[in-house]
Amino acid sequence: MNSTNKLLLISSLFISVFLLGCDSKESLNASKTENPYEKKVDSILKLMTLEEKLGQLNLPGAGDITTGQAQSSDIAKKIEDGLVGGLFNIKSAGKIRDVQTIAVEKSRLKIPLIFGMDVIHGYETTFPIPLGLSSSWDMEMIEHTAHIAAKEATADGINWTFSPMVDISRDPRWGRVSEGSGEDAYLGSEIAKAMVKGYQGDDLTQDNTMMACVKHFALYGAPEAGRDYNTVDMSRIRMYNEYLPPYKAAVDAGVGSVMASFNEIDGIPATGNRWLLTELLRDQWGFNGFVVTDYTGINEMIEHGMGDLQQVSALALKAGVDMDMVGEGLLTTLKKSLDEGKVSMADIDNAVKRILTAKYELGLFEDPYKYCDVNRAETEVFTAENRAFARKVGAESMVLMKNEGNLLPLKKEGTIALVGPLANTAVNMAGTWSVATNQEQSNPLLDGLKTVVGDSASILYAKGSNLDYDLEFEKRATMFGKEIPRDGRTDKQLRDEAVAIALKSDVVIAAIGESAEMSGESSSRTNLQIPQAQKDLLNALLETGKPVVVVLFTGRPLVLTEESDKAPAILNVWFPGSEAGLAISDVLFGDVNPSGKLTATFPRNVGQVPIFYNHKNTGRPLGNTEGKFEKFRSNYLDVRNEPLYPFGYGLSYTQFDYSNIKLSTNSIDVKGTIDVSVDVTNSGNYDGKEVVQLYLRDLVGSVTRPVKELKGFQKVEIKKGETKTVTFHLTVEDLKFYNYDLDFVAEPGKFQVFVGTNSDTQNGAEFELTEK
């Protein structure tokens, strides 16, 4: 902050009082009952006109502002008039400094702006898509990815991210399953806490931390038919037990803001749902940050049938919304609603207070330019160190689905054929919602292979097929600059070229699956198979008799029944991020032993959807697990009940054996604890990491209980030939659930505990919770 700017700020009569005595160590959500900035905020509020108050609730999009031209941009006049509280998706410290200058030097009250961006899974250094990242089951690593993202984004001027997305989803038709952490509330809660801690650190006033925004509150991941933005309708008991915990975990971790979801809940859109945004979020959970809408969320309530813009804007404010993204309904209608008595000044003031408090929490009143050091980006963004970590994270997130005959790892020798439309497309490696990524700088698989094998092996490449036979579908699936140039040759010519190089090779790598934008927002699918053009290519490669390794790119669980039957090896790489090619190659050649585990169930066909491991039993459960049909039992005529790949599944290049499961006691009371231990032996030929998973079943309850629930996991590194004893510590808190009256209780009775390598494990023991 230069001396001129300091003088301008200090000389301002309106804000000099507010800056005195600001303690940089006051942290967000440090108290659920007290606001340490209350006096400062109230003193500003007394000076504000109604228009300036409404301006703080306004979050327009910035568009593309060129550095040095912010003064003449369309938004500049509104900022100068105090009609803007923040901007989003403007990038670079120089541009942001220009815009911030208008707010703190030209507006009447000199109130700084907050700057947000969708920093979802990294900034310019991009990590695997969130679904892939969750498959690492490594909370420390996940937290560090968020810290790196915060460090890079803040170096470029951003101080608020619209992340983490913690929506539980059991329906892979829904495209945004790629942005979440899968189907389980326990694992999702642990990841939510890690992400919030990674973004916000211990002190939000530090210039390398940023405010997080948990989204989409709530239940956005359960739309009917898997269609984005569609109706959500579920019981409160399912809501509390299976969908709400990750949001609450983020709140308990001190998240600074919450984004309302697009969907309705109990017939009222989340953006206008007072039970959700006030009674649950603030009154029950004690959240004291601010609530922002999703993009035009207020305006979209008109289409929901909730009234005109004035009506829905008042509804949103009364429900608990504090900031309006893009729609400007609060800015343009609340004066009239106030005059008509439809909202009160207290309603408006409460929202303004929350926005101003957040700006104090970020230290923006103390130094509005703290994130605007144009030199930071040169040394802190997309650094060699960050890229090396992204390479490690990418490899740790991959899931080995099949490895018949130990085809993998490959040897760095001979001739290797690389085939497929996803083999050489840098712009698709980062996956969906990678808005800050320089896509062209990402490392495609072809380049990664060549780098890793060097002169030790020969790499032959052919595209083999287009992404899809249907050109129009391919256009929809490769939007936002992620096109895969369509080859002008016929489909047969493309396949023939691929077969020709396969016949010359010792092994074939088929890089197939989804493009980056086949998943993500507004990318729902009813056909969950790999596109037919690529299936035909794979079949042609398999017919050569050469060993084929499928490198699967995907943003969701796919139907892989045919591929699983035919291909000897399948490595699910998700979308690994900026260092994709290197990370994939590290795993293919055994420099990294895969240790990822699925966090979402892979169905046998789309008819099984929604499918998830922690389902309820029925009164007529199927009496076998061999897929045998039983009439008048809960099963299908045409497919077995079990998924193709269960939650928690993932292979390794080595073998892990479980034995000697022990309980420290067979009975505990409400104040007791129980230790569950298991011996895990690496009996294979490689050092490796295993995610040891603990599940519980409550055998008798006042309401029906799931057949199994994840209650603990540990990722442990075990050298070949070594045995480690892994111990879990359970308390009565781990046995609690929300009952019919939505009381959080642990009920006396018997419990089964299972410990194993995935959710299908049957290794376990039994203990009892007593009343005393």
Side-chain angles (χ1 to χ4, degrees), residues 477-582:
T478 55
M479 299 173 70
F480 308 123
K482 296 176 183 175
E483 294 83 4
I484 301 174
R486 199 166 175 88
D487 199 294
R489 291 172 290 175
T490 67
D491 298 316
K492 184 177 184 303
Q493 288 172 327
L494 286 169
R495 277 196 303 273
D496 287 348
E497 180 188 35
V499 167
I501 69 165
L503 291 171
K504 297 176 184 177
S505 303
D506 300 301
V507 66
V508 181
I509 299 171
I512 59 177
E514 293 189 312
S515 58
E517 294 304 325
M518 281 176 71
S519 60
E521 185 169 359
S522 190
S523 294
S524 298
R525 295 181 63 192
T526 59
N527 180 351
L528 297 180
Q529 298 186 40
I530 292 171
Q532 191 61 46
Q534 298 179 62
K535 291 172 79 72
D536 292 343
L537 169 63
L538 178 60
N539 287 331
L541 295 173
L542 291 167
E543 287 172 3
T544 66
K546 299 289 184 175
V548 177
V549 177
V550 172
V551 171
L552 177 70
F553 291 87
T554 183
R556 54 159 54 88
L558 293 176
V559 171
L560 301 173
T561 311
E562 183 180 355
E563 291 76 16
S564 184
D565 284 344
K566 294 181 179 180
I570 303 174
L571 178 65
N572 179 4
V573 302
W574 309 107
F575 291 97
S578 13
E579 305 305 302
L582 294 169

Side-chain angles (χ1 to χ4, degrees), residues 236-247:
R236 290 284 173 96
I237 198 167
R238 166 162 279 186
M239 192 186 302
Y240 272 71
N241 282 311
E242 302 172 31
Y243 283 83
L244 291 179
Y247 306 108

Side-chain angles (χ1 to χ4, degrees), residues 1-2 4-10 12 15 19 22 85 92-107 109-115 154 156-159 205 207 359-360 362-373:
M1 184 174 178
N2 60 43
T4 301
N5 290 333
K6 279 187 177 179
L7 287 171
L8 281 167
L9 285 171
I10 294 171
S12 171
I15 68 170
L19 301 182
C22 183
S92 97
K95 294 179 183 180
I96 288 172
R97 187 182 187 90
D98 284 352
V99 175
Q100 189 73 288
T101 298
I102 303 172
V104 300
E105 297 184 13
K106 291 193 173 183
S107 70
L109 294 182
K110 323 293 188 211
I111 298 173
L113 302 176
I114 187 172
F115 293 90
T154 55
D156 229 7
I158 311 298
N159 48 44
T205 64
D207 65 4
K359 293 178 179 182
Y360 268 114
L362 286 166
L364 290 172
F365 280 101
E366 187 173 6
D367 181 4
Y369 302 110
K370 60 180 289 189
Y371 301 98
C372 298
D373 181 352

Side-chain angles (χ1 to χ4, degrees), residues 207-280:
D207 65 4
N208 63 355
T209 62
M210 65 195 310
M211 183 174 290
C213 180
V214 67
K215 67 182 187 184
H216 305 84
F217 193 61
L219 318 182
Y220 182 45
E224 292 178 355
R227 198 173 74 243
D228 212 351
Y229 319 123
N230 205 9
T231 302
V232 173
D233 191 8
M234 69 173 66
S235 67
R236 290 284 173 96
I237 198 167
R238 166 162 279 186
M239 192 186 302
Y240 272 71
N241 282 311
E242 302 172 31
Y243 283 83
L244 291 179
Y247 306 108
K248 186 176 187 300
V251 170
D252 290 343
V255 73
S257 59
V258 170
M259 181 181 290
S261 56
F262 287 120
N263 55 280
E264 67 174 64
I265 296 172
D266 290 340
I268 301 174
T271 307
N273 194 311
R274 181 173 176 80
W275 171 81
L276 181 74
L277 300 182
T278 295
E279 294 175 23
L280 177 65

Side-chain angles (χ1 to χ4, degrees), residues 499-666:
V499 167
I501 69 165
L503 291 171
K504 297 176 184 177
S505 303
D506 300 301
V507 66
V508 181
I509 299 171
I512 59 177
E514 293 189 312
S515 58
E517 294 304 325
M518 281 176 71
S519 60
E521 185 169 359
S522 190
S523 294
S524 298
R525 295 181 63 192
T526 59
N527 180 351
L528 297 180
Q529 298 186 40
I530 292 171
Q532 191 61 46
Q534 298 179 62
K535 291 172 79 72
D536 292 343
L537 169 63
L538 178 60
N539 287 331
L541 295 173
L542 291 167
E543 287 172 3
T544 66
K546 299 289 184 175
V548 177
V549 177
V550 172
V551 171
L552 177 70
F553 291 87
T554 183
R556 54 159 54 88
L558 293 176
V559 171
L560 301 173
T561 311
E562 183 180 355
E563 291 76 16
S564 184
D565 284 344
K566 294 181 179 180
I570 303 174
L571 178 65
N572 179 4
V573 302
W574 309 107
F575 291 97
S578 13
E579 305 305 302
L582 294 169
I584 297 168
S585 300
D586 287 341
V587 175
L588 287 174
F589 293 104
D591 296 323
V592 175
N593 189 348
S595 59
K597 301 277 190 174
L598 297 178
T599 58
T601 299
F602 275 55
R604 294 180 182 274
N605 62 37
V606 74
Q608 289 184 311
V609 172
I611 185 169
F612 46 96
Y613 84 93
N614 51 346
H615 57 84
K616 302 286 188 74
N617 223 349
T618 73
R620 295 185 176 188
L622 186 63
N624 70 86
T625 57
E626 291 78 45
K628 297 177 182 177
F629 175 76
E630 295 182 20
K631 192 66 174 176
F632 305 117
R633 291 287 174 175
S634 183
N635 55 179
Y636 300 100
L637 287 171
D638 57 349
V639 70
R640 61 190 299 169
N641 285 4
E642 297 82 15
L644 186 63
Y645 297 112
F647 174 87
Y649 174 87
L651 302 176
S652 170
Y653 292 154
T654 194
Q655 174 70 36
F656 295 106
D657 300 322
Y658 287 71
S659 63
N660 200 24
I661 295 177
K662 293 181 179 178
L663 305 183
S664 61
T665 179
N666 293 321

Side-chain angles (χ1 to χ4, degrees), residues 16 73 100 128 150 169 240 274 286 288 313 340 372-374 410 441 453 456 521 555 621 623 637 668 699 721 731 758:
S16 61
S73 66
Q100 189 73 288
S169 179
Y240 272 71
R274 181 173 176 80
N288 65 355
S313 298
E340 295 173 353
C372 298
D373 181 352
V374 294
L410 301 176
Q441 289 183 325
V453 303
S456 301
E521 185 169 359
L637 287 171
I668 63 171
L699 292 174
T731 72
N758 61 59

